[in-house]
Amino acid sequence: MPAHFHQLKITAPEYRAALAVLLALAALGYAAAHYMDAGGHHITGMNNRVVWGIPHVFALALILAASGALNVASLSSVFGLDEYQPLAGLSALLAIVLLVGGLLVLVLDLGRPDRLIVALTHYNFKSVFAWNILLYTGFIALAVGYLYVLVEPGARRAGRVRAAGMLSLLWRLVLTSGSGAIFGFVVARPMYHAAVMAPLFIALSLALGGAAFQLVAAALARWHGDYLDESVLARQARLLAWFVAAVLLLTAIFHLTHGYAAERRAVERFILMRGGVYTALFWAQAGLGGALPLALLLAPAPGVRRLCAAAALVVLGGFAHLYVIIIGGQAFPLPIFPGKTVTGGFYDGEVAAYAPSLPEFLLGLGGVAAALLLLLAALRVLPFMPPPRRARQRG
Amino acid sequence: MTAPANRKRRKLLAAAASTVAAAPGLRLMEWAAAQSDAQPVTAATRWGLLIDTDKCAVDCDACVRACNDEHGLTGTGRPETDAQWIRKVTLTDEHSGRVTSLPVLCQHCEQPPCVDVCPTGASFRREDGVVLVDKHTCIGCRYCVIACPYQARSFVHENLTAQKPYSPRGKGTVEGCTLCVHRIDEERAPACVEVCNSGGGDDCGNGALLFGDLNDPQSAIARRLKSAPSRQLRADLDLNTGVRYENL
Amino acid sequence: MSGGGFFAIPRIISAAIFAPVLAAVVSVNALADGPPKLPRGKGATCVEPLDVMRRNHMDFLNHERDLTVRGGIRGRKHSLVGCIACHAQRDGHGDFIRIDAPGQFCHACHEFTGVKMDCFECHAAVPDTSASHAAAPPFVPPRRGGYGGETRP
């Protein structure tokens, strides 16, 4: 086993408190899923017009963050930045658990979670969703393979670490494009049908995952012993700034192209001006989750505190952004009859109402908790913790 | 074998089957021999529906009630999660103020987006053009509800008990207009069409719905489509819908 | 039947763990009580010999369901509706009892063997008694011109 990886050692009481909270949240999430499954989805805020709700926002956020959490591994193994090498294992582990957490939420929200096996035995190759099933399982397999070569003696010299890192980098770019395509390929909805969804989701994943890694790494550093070098922190800040800027740019392109086309102006007016909670969340994510963290990150000498504050804002902003895309896109009425005012029917022509209920929120939160619990458990038994700085200086 | 002959034979088989159920064992041999001839539906037929909005009355919802009765779609007092296979809408032109009334239902597209997106292939298009959900393989992901341009699909949000034998439906799966396949397979018109063309009583009998085989040039629907202008909803998507509208 | 499964993977795992235990319990029960007494069907014989039916009914049903759902072939001899029409019992008031109710045809045996079925989460568990479908559907001769809309000018 290479000397630069450790197992997680518990030294701080906050760690036990965090463990207890995570366990409670995961249990609540599981109970909520059971409650939803037994009673049916009518106990949630979801309905026949907003069929994907807050569980899907949590799931997508976790899946995108999973892909982005691998940034650090890519920096170390593909782009050859040696100061990231001790963090590479943690990065890949975090990626795996976040994806598992996201899939857990997605699966437990299904109408028939007991038929999960059907999703594996009946496969429609034309479905973007089905492609994503392959992309997710492939991602987990590649990340596990990457972790293996990280601790395999001689793998680095033989170039296997770089190969595994490169493969997972390419795979996650395709994966996040695939997540974007879940929406981008939907011809029916003016909010969704756009090629820019793919790069937007890539950028969102890089920002969300980078920020999530920063927060997790900083928390673990407090409990385990500090291992984050100044140079790593400075580079993290610069990188995160780039990713946030990319999200802002692609968001601007997205809404400008939409706003330019007469047929999509109505939905743009809805999201940007008259959409109530969606409008509020849109501008909040652009300002508080975009511009503000960008300023915090670009200001000189960002310490670990400022970096973490910015990362937290990016995570919240990304979540709000996904809420606007996923739920706002369903809330806006389908344009079946352009040029006509529609009344009657099934709330035709009206903006769909959606307010998340407690169980579905707990299900989503439970997915996050389950991911972090898995991470802590894995770090206790697998040697992927970066060693504290003092130990490294001594060694 | 031509499609109508095929259909007739299958119909006779259904009748034979009910005889057997009444007196099992009696005619099992003949019947077992006959049923080997039963043929699946073919693309020789494409079922379609033509809706004349001029004949559809604003205050009439007989088709919606007939559908609900036929398939046992009962409300729960929570309309946002209740099943809605067919709905009546009223359109007012934003410029001219012209008012139109029409039912919206599954448009039974030739290129259905719901079928494309379904991860398990539960959403499928029967050879004769009817778009259905195979609820045995539906996992309840609702992607088809997102992808349908017509808001024509419903997700079953709660436990059901009083289903109809010919229209199984259950919690956690997605459903939509079946074009009453159980009736089509027995040579009967869909429930909404039947009620719209029946006069008297509560039912308006406006005769706004015309059902038939789009592939048969002699059918009333094919002749009507040839002689009078009609349109598809979201024609820009080029889905080649099986449901068409006149005077819209 | 109870609502859908809670979570497939744990259930699969727990099934793997508990199935042998259950099997043992069931076989002990079997020794104690003997096989369940099933209500008889209406006719003299079933559509297949009894041992074939016991072993293969699920395969018949699965095969038939695909023919019906995908191919529109209805009323063949292995249809679920047929099973229910023949085996459903009536209560004291003459009303049909759900075939998946305790002690009824499907439930009694499935309970005994410990096999969960979810057919009746969607399918009707009693024969149809509504006027239009109780008997064989009325045969309407196919009209070459199509159905409906005959009243239009």
Side-chain angles (χ1 to χ4, degrees):
Chain A
M1 179 190 307
H4 52 265
F5 288 135
H6 284 194
Q7 285 164 317
L8 178 65
K9 292 198 179 53
I10 307 167
T11 51
E14 298 103 304
Y15 171 82
R16 283 171 193 283
L19 212 58
V21 170
L22 289 177
L23 256 174
L25 284 178
L28 275 175
Y30 197 61
H34 188 53
Y35 181 57
M36 278 165 63
D37 188 41
H41 275 67
H42 78 92
I43 61 166
T44 70
M46 290 177 265
N47 52 58
N48 275 328
R49 288 199 303 159
V50 179
V51 289
W52 286 354
I54 203 131
H56 301 80
V57 178
F58 270 104
L60 252 298
L62 281 165
I63 289 166
L64 292 184
S67 160
L70 217 55
N71 286 347
V72 167
S74 301
L75 290 172
S76 157
S77 304
V78 180
F79 300 102
L81 299 175
D82 285 340
E83 66 264 41
Y84 278 101
Q85 200 186 320
L87 301 173
L90 177 61
S91 154
L93 213 48
L94 180 63
I96 294 172
V97 298
L98 288 177
L99 192 70
V100 169
L103 292 181
L104 215 52
V105 177
L106 216 50
V107 165
L108 288 175
D109 177 77
L110 290 177
R112 301 292 310 242
D114 54 319
R115 286 194 190 152
L116 180 58
I117 196 76
V118 173
L120 307 173
T121 53
H122 292 66
Y123 201 86
N124 173 18
F125 282 94
K126 208 179 173 187
S127 165
V128 183
F129 230 43
W131 302 345
N132 274 273
I133 296 173
L134 286 187
L135 290 170
Y136 300 151
T137 42
F139 179 83
I140 292 178
L142 282 175
V144 169
Y146 176 78
L147 281 175
Y148 176 77
V149 295
L150 271 187
V151 291
E152 186 198 359
R156 188 170 302 278
R157 234 176 309 125
R160 282 201 287 279
V161 174
R162 190 179 146 79
M166 179 61 92
L167 204 56
S168 22
L169 170 63
L170 293 176
W171 193 273
R172 68 199 179 96
L173 291 180
V174 178
L175 182 145
T176 33
S177 304
S179 305
I182 291 177
F183 302 95
F185 282 23
V186 170
V187 294
R189 294 181 187 267
M191 174 75 175
Y192 290 166
H193 190 219
V196 75
M197 281 291 187
L200 177 63
F201 272 53
I202 292 179
L204 258 173
S205 104
L206 294 173
L208 257 175
F213 179 85
Q214 176 55 43
L215 291 174
V216 168
L220 288 174
R222 276 179 70 99
W223 298 329
H224 177 75
D226 200 4
Y227 51 79
L228 294 166
D229 291 321
E230 291 300 323
S231 65
V232 166
L233 288 175
R235 195 188 289 273
Q236 282 286 90
R238 279 204 307 279
L239 261 180
L240 196 53
W242 271 111
F243 298 149
V244 171
V247 172
L248 284 172
L249 172 70
L250 288 166
T251 307
I253 292 174
F254 176 14
H255 291 282
L256 283 172
T257 14
H258 272 37
Y260 198 81
E263 57 165 341
R264 300 207 175 178
R265 224 162 274 160
V267 68
E268 278 310 309
R269 261 199 299 273
F270 173 70
I271 295 294
L272 302 182
M273 291 154 69
R274 295 179 193 158
V277 61
Y278 306 106
T279 301
L281 282 175
F282 177 84
W283 292 110
Q285 66 83 20
L288 301 175
L292 179 60
L294 196 59
L296 287 176
L297 294 165
L298 290 178
V304 70
R305 254 164 204 278
R306 185 131 54 83
L307 181 48
C308 285
L313 286 172
V314 170
V315 168
L316 290 176
F319 191 86
H321 201 165
L322 286 171
Y323 193 96
V324 173
I325 292 176
I326 297 174
I327 298 171
Q330 295 171 78
F332 187 74
L334 283 167
I336 309 174
F337 303 104
K340 316 266 187 195
T341 306
V342 193
T343 51
F346 177 56
Y347 301 98
D348 280 86
E350 290 174 38
V351 170
Y354 172 74
S357 72
L358 186 63
E360 59 189 311
F361 187 79
L362 287 177
L363 169 61
L365 211 56
V368 180
L372 296 177
L373 266 181
L374 266 176
L375 177 74
L376 294 179
L379 285 172
R380 288 298 302 281
V381 294
L382 299 171
F384 292 115
M385 254 331 266
R389 249 185 324 206
R390 272 170 290 121
R392 237 182 293 162
Q393 280 154 2
R394 275 204 307 275
Chain B
M1 189 192 291
T2 62
N6 208 342
R7 195 149 286 290
K8 199 171 197 168
R9 173 169 303 180
R10 292 179 37 236
K11 169 63 208 134
L12 288 170
L13 287 172
S18 55
T19 320
V20 171
L26 278 181
R27 291 204 246 146
L28 215 73
M29 292 311 289
E30 303 100 292
W31 178 65
Q35 78 163 354
S36 62
D37 269 4
Q39 296 295 316
V41 293
T42 68
T45 306
R46 183 174 181 209
W47 297 114
L49 188 59
L50 179 60
I51 298 169
D52 186 345
T53 61
D54 272 359
K55 290 184 179 163
C56 183
V58 173
D59 52 358
C60 175
D61 65 349
C63 53
V64 179
R65 282 182 283 120
C67 178
N68 291 349
D69 287 348
E70 180 75 12
H71 296 280
L73 313 180
T74 46
T76 57
R78 289 182 284 273
E80 295 203 324
T81 51
D82 281 346
Q84 188 92 47
W85 291 14
I86 180 170
R87 62 190 194 271
K88 275 294 301 289
V89 298
T90 306
L91 310 179
T92 311
D93 192 281
E94 281 164 12
H95 305 287
S96 64
R98 179 172 187 259
V99 173
T100 335
S101 175
L102 61 146
V104 180
L105 63 159
C106 172
Q107 303 286 300
H108 298 282
C109 312
E110 190 190 14
Q111 310 280 342
C114 58
V115 173
D116 290 344
V117 302
C118 178
T120 65
S123 226
F124 72 102
R125 185 178 173 277
R126 231 169 67 149
E127 283 294 305
D128 58 358
V130 183
V131 175
L132 296 171
V133 181
D134 183 345
K135 286 152 195 171
H136 303 105
T137 44
C138 173
I139 57 173
C141 75
R142 288 102 85 200
Y143 197 11
C144 57
V145 187
I146 299 264
C148 174
Y150 308 105
Q151 199 80 64
R153 286 221 163 154
S154 301
F155 177 65
V156 183
H157 282 75
E158 42 208 297
N159 286 304
L160 303 175
T161 46
Q163 294 95 329
K164 303 282 185 184
Y166 47 83
S167 187
R169 39 194 302 268
K171 186 192 75 182
T173 58
V174 173
E175 57 184 15
C177 161
T178 64
L179 213 57
C180 286
V181 271
H182 63 289
R183 285 168 155 256
I184 295 179
D185 291 341
E186 294 170 349
E187 299 277 355
R188 298 191 300 150
C192 55
V193 176
E194 192 175 276
V195 76
C196 191
N197 289 289
S198 70
D202 283 347
D203 306 325
C204 62
N206 286 319
L209 303 182
L210 176 60
F211 173 77
D213 180 3
L214 299 173
N215 283 352
D216 175 3
Q218 298 308 312
S219 70
I221 190 170
R223 280 184 281 132
R224 181 77 192 170
L225 281 168
K226 194 173 178 186
S227 63
S230 63
R231 52 163 292 199
Q232 311 175 38
L233 299 185
R234 290 302 306 269
D236 57 318
L237 299 176
D238 203 12
L239 303 174
N240 188 7
T241 57
V243 177
R244 303 293 174 106
Y245 292 85
E246 262 181 28
N247 299 309
L248 183 59
Chain C
M1 297 306 296
S2 62
F6 184 10
F7 179 42
I9 287 175
R11 195 156 75 184
I12 290 164
I13 295 168
S14 58
I17 295 167
F18 292 116
V21 180
L22 261 177
V25 172
V26 166
S27 49
V28 169
N29 278 344
L31 288 176
D33 303 335
K37 304 224 171 353
L38 299 184
R40 283 193 64 86
K42 289 198 183 76
T45 57
C46 188
V47 291
E48 298 287 348
L50 200 57
D51 56 333
V52 174
M53 220 45 195
R54 279 187 181 148
R55 212 177 296 277
N56 299 325
H57 67 280
M58 66 299 276
D59 298 327
F60 292 147
L61 287 171
N62 277 353
H63 177 65
E64 206 103 310
R65 104 189 174 191
D66 290 339
L67 289 178
T68 305
V69 174
R70 306 260 163 177
I73 299 173
R74 285 170 201 276
R76 282 170 51 116
K77 70 171 169 177
H78 298 130
S79 86
L80 182 63
V81 172
C83 299
I84 297 164
C86 203
H87 287 283
Q89 307 290 304
R90 290 178 191 266
D91 63 13
H93 306 289
D95 296 329
F96 278 113
I97 310 168
R98 287 181 68 93
I99 202 156
D100 62 338
Q104 296 302 301
F105 187 71
C106 295
H107 180 273
C109 206
H110 274 264
E111 182 77 0
F112 177 70
T113 53
V115 177
K116 180 183 183 285
M117 52 171 179
D118 59 2
C119 310
F120 300 107
E121 286 176 37
C122 291
H123 284 279
V126 291
D128 191 14
T129 48
S130 65
S132 62
H133 290 273
F139 182 67
V140 181
R143 298 187 189 124
R144 187 119 177 96
Y147 328 92
E150 307 304 317
T151 54
R152 58 177 55 241

